[in-house]
Amino acid sequence: MCEDGVSDRGFYQGSGLGLVDDKGRVAIPASLRATLAANAPRPDGKDGGMVVVSVHQDAKCLIAYDQPYAATLKSQLDMAELDSGTGKRDFNVKRGAALGELVPFDGSGRFILPELLLFQAGIAQNAFFYGVFDYFEIWDPKTLVEAEGIPDAVKAAARFYCGKKGIAL
């Protein structure tokens, strides 16, 4: 924490496109990787670190974040679980968010996306990364562009990166 009580945690801002190989290996874009490494440096001082990858609660994509953010997310889910309006706990609030894995990444940002998570997000050959302050999302670009309710600027970013690589959407 900073002196004014505001967290000195970096925010995930930036975007990029990565090629997913046949083993599910992909590289986190540099802008997002720098924040990830700063938010949760390896205790041994080596390059790389760990990233939590999970299924998004409302969209057909993945979310990824540093381990320290997991406590914040859990607190938010605790409140949502109790705020169902019925007076009963809604256990599905946490069930939907719990399907995640802690995955190591190397100094170049390469990591392996677990097969189950790739399947659930419909990610095959390309992964579009988009920073959303507290976490970043990982999308199949075509799924993102076709999704309803996604801001045009986010879709334009996916189209831009795909166009640069000659990927038709």
Side-chain angles (χ1 to χ4, degrees):
M1 289 281 195
C2 295
E3 290 178 27
D4 61 3
V6 176
S7 173
D8 55 358
R9 193 172 176 279
F11 295 117
Y12 296 102
Q13 294 179 277
S15 56
L17 185 71
L19 179 66
V20 180
D21 72 12
D22 58 349
K23 294 179 182 174
R25 196 172 28 224
V26 66
I28 302 166
S31 60
L32 300 172
R33 182 174 67 247
T35 303
L36 185 60
N39 284 349
R42 285 178 57 152
D44 60 10
K46 293 182 181 178
D47 287 343
M50 302 295 283
V51 59
V52 179
V53 183
S54 185
V55 176
H56 194 287
Q57 289 261 1
D58 298 317
K60 188 172 177 145
C61 70
L62 303 174
I63 64 168
Y65 47 88
D66 51 88
Q67 281 184 286
Y69 179 66
T72 300
L73 182 59
K74 183 188 174 302
S75 293
Q76 293 170 350
L77 292 170
D78 286 344
M79 295 301 293
E81 181 181 64
L82 297 174
D83 191 34
S84 64
T86 64
K88 295 181 182 180
R89 292 177 71 171
D90 182 357
F91 293 100
N92 285 328
V93 169
K94 287 185 187 168
R95 284 185 186 121
L99 182 61
E101 292 193 33
L102 185 60
V103 181
F105 65 94
D106 67 17
S108 298
R110 290 180 304 235
F111 71 111
I112 296 175
L113 283 166
E115 281 185 73
L116 176 59
L117 300 179
L118 284 169
F119 172 77
Q120 289 193 305
I123 297 171
Q125 297 175 338
N126 299 289
F128 175 69
F129 293 78
Y130 194 83
V132 190
F133 293 107
D134 295 324
Y135 57 88
F136 54 94
E137 296 177 342
I138 308 170
W139 288 84
D140 170 74
K142 187 173 190 297
T143 301
L144 170 69
V145 169
E146 292 175 354
E148 293 184 25
I150 302 295
D152 289 339
V154 178
K155 292 181 180 189
R159 285 188 189 102
F160 171 79
Y161 287 111
C162 287
K164 283 186 73 160
K165 297 206 179 203
I167 300 166
L169 294 178

